[in-house]
Amino acid sequence: MGETVELNIPGVCLNYGLPSPTPRNTFRLVDVNEYSSNPRVRRALRSLATYGTSHGVAQATMWHVCNELPIRDDGRADR
């Protein structure tokens, strides 16, 4: 306890519209159920982690699931 560990973890934003994180931000890992009780969030994250995809598709998918952002025909979230 008290030790600092640096990790590179691929991730996506789950809250559309928040400012982009910077190296000064501190993150805390939480269970998906602690973030959202919506079962679609857990299923989407599990599918993306299991099957993999591009970062852009993963981001558009999670904004769609978490924030009901429409997805365009080209697979991008419609901002």
Side-chain angles (χ1 to χ4, degrees):
M1 192 162 188
E3 182 179 343
T4 299
V5 177
E6 290 189 31
L7 300 171
N8 288 319
I9 301 173
V12 293
C13 173
L14 302 180
N15 298 296
Y16 179 76
L18 290 183
S20 295
T22 69
R24 295 179 186 211
N25 290 106
T26 301
F27 295 94
R28 182 174 60 94
L29 292 176
V30 298
D31 186 271
V32 177
N33 288 329
E34 188 177 328
Y35 171 77
S36 173
S37 61
N38 182 344
R40 293 180 64 220
V41 174
R42 179 178 285 283
R43 285 195 305 267
L45 287 170
R46 185 173 304 240
S47 292
L48 292 170
T50 301
Y51 301 113
T53 188
S54 70
H55 183 265
V57 170
Q59 183 62 79
T61 299
M62 293 315 301
W63 277 339
H64 176 71
V65 170
C66 295
N67 306 118
E68 300 180 4
L69 203 65
I71 296 182
R72 301 184 324 207
D73 291 340
D74 61 4
R76 295 179 183 212
D78 194 6
R79 299 175 187 208

